[in-house]
Amino acid sequence: MNYKITAHPDGGLQVYVACESCSFVILPTADIERATRAMCSHTAARGHAVFKRTTNDIAVVVLADKAERERRAEANRLEYHHLGGAAEDEAEHAQAGA
Ligand SMILES: [Zn+2]
């Protein structure tokens, strides 16, 4: 089976920055622009221009074959209904609406 790795839609890119010349760090943040401005400010204030920058995201492994992915999604949906999942959902909705 062929798989591929993609960025998880709920996991944004984060950056972590550490100055190579002192203990200045920017803790992991999704605000890349703000981190960039903080690096520029640090360089302006201290003259330190080299940073170790680490970016990370949330990766997810999915089936590379679209047809196989859809076949499995359908199989899961049918099994969910077979096990009574849909009936439970309707009962919960009915309670929530009452
Ligand atoms: Zn520094």
Side-chain angles (χ1 to χ4, degrees):
M1 194 60 58
N2 287 325
Y3 295 96
K4 67 178 181 181
I5 296 173
T6 182
H8 194 287
D10 293 339
L13 188 69
Q14 284 197 326
V15 65
Y16 167 79
V17 176
C19 178
E20 289 283 271
S21 304
C22 72
S23 58
F24 173 82
V25 295
I26 300 168
L27 295 177
T29 176
D31 194 341
I32 311 295
E33 285 296 317
R34 189 166 173 213
T36 299
R37 285 197 303 273
M39 290 165 68
C40 293
S41 296
H42 185 70
T43 300
R46 304 290 297 275
H48 302 162
V50 180
F51 301 86
K52 182 176 288 176
R53 191 168 60 172
T54 307
T55 54
N56 68 66
D57 66 357
I58 305 294
V60 61
V61 178
V62 297
L63 288 163
D65 182 47
K66 188 168 184 258
E68 177 63 12
R69 211 160 56 230
E70 288 170 354
R71 190 194 67 75
R72 291 197 189 187
E74 177 64 10
N76 286 345
R77 192 183 67 76
L78 291 173
E79 184 173 307
Y80 180 70
H81 278 258
H82 177 71
L83 295 173
E88 285 175 21
D89 288 349
E90 284 169 18
E92 279 177 26
H93 289 171
Q95 280 183 346

